[in-house]
Amino acid sequence: MSNRILSSLLVVILGVTFSCTETSPGSETSESQKSGKAKNIILLIGDGMGLSQVSSAFYFKESTPHFKRFPTVGLIRTSSTIKITDSAAGATAFSTGKKSYNGAIGVDADTVSQTTILEIASDLGWNSGVIATSSITHATPASFFAHVKSRGMAEAIAAQLVTSDVDFFAGGGLQYFNGSQDGINTIEELSKADFDINTTSLAVESLQGTRKYGFLLAEDGMPRMLDDRGDFLPNATQMALDYFSLSDSPFFIMVEGSQIDWGGHANNEDYLVSELIDFDNAIGKALDFAEKDGNTLVVVTADHETGGYTLSANDGNYDDIKGTFSTGGHSTTLIPVFAYGPGSELFGGIYENTGIFDKMMEAAGIRSAQ
Ligand code: MG
Ligand code: ZN
């Protein structure tokens, strides 16, 4: 019996207990509130976002950073099966609770598929969404809904989105869906799978809780903030929250600020900081929702640091900052974790990146069969 079948069986059993404690629509002092369990989870990942990247919001953002609103802060070690992780192994640690090799998408160190938290929650009746400013097939979002042995397999990842448990997605990556390489028109397949697909704008006449939505708004990655991407990330986050609010079911959303990493790789401080501030604005949408809702856990962290970014003095002037970089790649500095809402207290302390998976599961009262 495969791991996936075993865990499906277990979640069916757990699902029964779960549904007994489920509230009826309208009675919002819910069981989850009484039990202190998270009904919904919003995981926001700032790709390549180390402590200096977070700190930049406190020096370069004109308003108070939303990072300041979190009561609990922790630190994670981000190594994969080797010392310095990539985004694939980093996201796979968050999504499956397993350390894997760099390049792994939803598979363990032996390339065996591992059920992701998005899939486990979906099996329990949760709705789910993924949002990114990269292609939606890129390593971070892919690790939540796909299982392939290498992050480069973008068309295979796109194909897996069709049969995945995802109900709402937004990002770039159109070129991986049009069949230019494998001849399969994945856009058509998504439509057949009840997705309302929009390739021109983040707009819906009126959101229907019975529909699924997909937005593919760029050929590959979304435009940079420096090239006028606008408020795509906070707006897509808000739209997902509005959409999931149409249902009484719990939801899991992964929101990625993908290009903080790309600004780090480019050693371009303006690029990095503009992406970081945009990500902070998306965090604001998640926190506003969670504060009103009372049953939503918000977790913000990063897969690793990129660029060895430092908020250094500008030419020795201690009253002026000019960021410097020590690498064009990733670094393995400890990474901050911010948590708000039911179960947030679990996220304090210093632990491995796989602890993000374990703690989200514990906060939601879900046990894993893995
Ligand atoms: Mg990424
Ligand atoms: Zn990177």
Side-chain angles (χ1 to χ4, degrees):
M1 199 183 281
S2 76
N3 264 356
R4 181 70 210 264
I5 296 169
L6 265 179
S7 66
S8 296
L9 275 178
L10 189 72
V11 292
V12 167
I13 297 162
L14 286 170
V16 174
T17 10
F18 231 63
S19 58
C20 296
T21 58
E22 197 88 337
T23 40
S24 54
S27 66
E28 268 315 309
T29 317
S30 64
E31 287 298 326
S32 55
Q33 216 161 26
K34 278 184 234 153
S35 65
K37 297 274 184 237
K39 180 182 176 236
N40 311 308
I41 299 175
I42 309 170
L43 172 64
L44 298 109
I45 302 173
D47 199 310
M49 183 184 73
L51 189 53
S52 287
Q53 281 82 350
V54 172
S55 307
S56 73
F58 289 79
Y59 295 98
F60 298 125
K61 192 176 185 190
E62 278 164 18
S63 52
T64 306
H66 295 289
F67 286 106
K68 219 182 162 186
R69 296 165 64 181
F70 290 93
T72 304
V73 179
L75 291 169
I76 49 171
R77 271 197 60 200
T78 65
S79 295
S80 57
T81 50
I82 60 172
K83 288 198 181 69
I84 302 183
T85 192
D86 78 335
S87 298
T92 295
F94 296 155
S95 69
T96 72
K98 296 276 167 65
K99 297 260 187 193
S100 194
Y101 58 92
N102 290 4
I105 302 290
V107 299
D108 70 9
D110 301 317
T111 72
V112 177
S113 288
Q114 300 296 308
T115 315
T116 71
I117 189 167
L118 185 153
E119 294 164 336
I120 294 167
S122 295
D123 284 346
L124 289 169
W126 293 40
N127 292 318
S128 65
V130 286
I131 298 167
T133 53
S134 61
S135 163
I136 205 69
T137 61
H138 211 264
T140 312
S143 296
F144 286 82
F145 64 81
H147 306 273
V148 295
K149 65 179 192 300
S150 170
R151 60 184 290 167
M153 301 164 71
E155 292 207 342
I157 292 166
Q160 290 187 20
L161 187 53
V162 178
T163 50
S164 76
D165 295 312
V166 172
D167 304 290
F168 180 103
F169 66 87
L174 199 48
Q175 64 172 322
Y176 306 113
F177 290 80
N178 60 16
S180 61
Q181 283 168 46
D182 62 9
I184 299 165
N185 186 333
T186 306
I187 300 283
E188 264 172 35
E189 299 298 315
L190 284 165
S191 301
K192 280 190 229 154
D194 290 332
F195 272 98
D196 196 329
I197 299 294
N198 192 322
T199 59
T200 53
S201 66
L202 187 74
V204 177
E205 223 163 87
S206 81
L207 282 167
Q208 312 280 321
T210 51
R211 298 284 297 159
K212 296 193 283 184
Y213 294 93
F215 298 89
L216 291 167
L217 303 179
E219 284 299 319
D220 200 348
M222 294 293 292
R224 308 186 307 170
M225 285 307 288
L226 296 176
D227 300 323
D228 297 323
R229 182 169 76 235
D231 290 328
F232 162 79
L233 192 63
N235 289 348
T237 303
Q238 186 61 56
M239 184 185 276
L241 292 169
D242 293 344
Y243 167 64
F244 290 125
S245 297
L246 297 171
S247 161
D248 291 317
S249 301
F251 63 78
F252 173 86
I253 312 177
M254 194 292 300
V255 178
E256 187 198 20
S258 318
Q259 298 192 33
I260 300 166
D261 176 64
W262 302 353
H265 281 294
N267 285 191
N268 180 335
E269 185 173 39
D270 291 341
Y271 186 8
L272 187 164
V273 171
S274 58
E275 296 296 334
L276 190 283
I277 289 172
D278 176 59
F279 182 64
D280 186 63
N281 290 333
I283 292 171
K285 299 293 185 190
L287 285 174
D288 290 349
F289 176 89
E291 282 176 359
K292 270 201 222 97
D293 178 66
N295 295 313
T296 301
L297 170 67
V298 180
V299 179
V300 179
T301 190
D303 44 4
H304 54 75
E305 195 277 341
T306 305
Y309 178 59
T310 308
L311 295 167
S312 338
N314 188 4
D315 202 22
N317 177 358
Y318 273 28
D319 202 24
D320 190 22
I321 297 163
K322 172 100 181 75
T324 51
F325 295 88
S326 65
T327 174
H330 299 169
S331 76
T332 194
T333 179
L334 299 184
I335 291 292
V337 181
F338 304 84
Y340 174 92
S344 58
E345 65 284 351
L346 297 168
F347 291 82
I350 302 180
Y351 45 97
E352 294 295 325
N353 54 0
T354 50
I356 298 291
F357 170 90
D358 299 331
K359 291 170 195 296
M360 289 191 297
M361 296 279 281
E362 187 181 345
I366 308 172
R367 271 176 294 139
S368 171
Q370 290 177 22

